[in-house]
Amino acid sequence: NVLNTTKNKTNTSLVYPNPTNNFIQINTPYAFNYKIYNTQGKLIVKRKRVQQKIDVSSFTQGIYILHLEIEKQNFIHKIIKY
């Protein structure tokens, strides 16, 4: 369960801007996989081999959990959509 994990890393400079309204920029030169969950743990979106930007413009306002996989490392971020 992504909401209960303790082995994943966080890096506040990796994901910006946060809060956001349209796009989240991922600060990495590598393609990445991601999943976004709502606060109840329901998977909202899953994508593979993405480059730098994630479009959240269609999301409703609220808090989301972003799970990134970059070069076989996992990162978890709380995203605020306004």
Side-chain angles (χ1 to χ4, degrees):
N1 183 338
V2 72
L3 298 178
N4 294 327
T5 187
T6 57
K7 294 182 181 179
N8 293 304
K9 301 175 183 180
T10 60
N11 180 343
T12 55
S13 63
L14 185 65
V15 177
Y16 64 93
N18 192 15
T20 188
N21 193 29
N22 294 312
F23 292 94
I24 300 168
Q25 183 76 28
I26 308 301
N27 188 18
T28 180
Y30 305 105
F32 57 88
N33 302 329
Y34 73 89
K35 297 175 187 174
I36 297 178
Y37 298 86
N38 65 17
T39 54
Q40 289 77 40
K42 179 182 175 188
L43 181 63
I44 303 299
V45 65
K46 177 180 178 179
R47 300 279 187 269
K48 293 186 180 236
R49 305 300 298 165
V50 176
Q51 297 282 342
Q52 297 184 321
K53 278 190 179 181
I54 298 173
D55 183 357
V56 296
S57 61
S58 65
F59 291 20
T60 58
Q61 290 182 346
I63 297 173
Y64 296 88
I65 306 301
L66 171 64
H67 177 255
L68 292 170
E69 182 186 324
I70 304 171
E71 293 291 292
K72 299 189 183 202
Q73 291 188 342
N74 294 312
F75 301 89
I76 303 290
H77 293 273
K78 178 173 71 172
I79 302 299
I80 300 171
K81 166 68 163 75
Y82 63 88

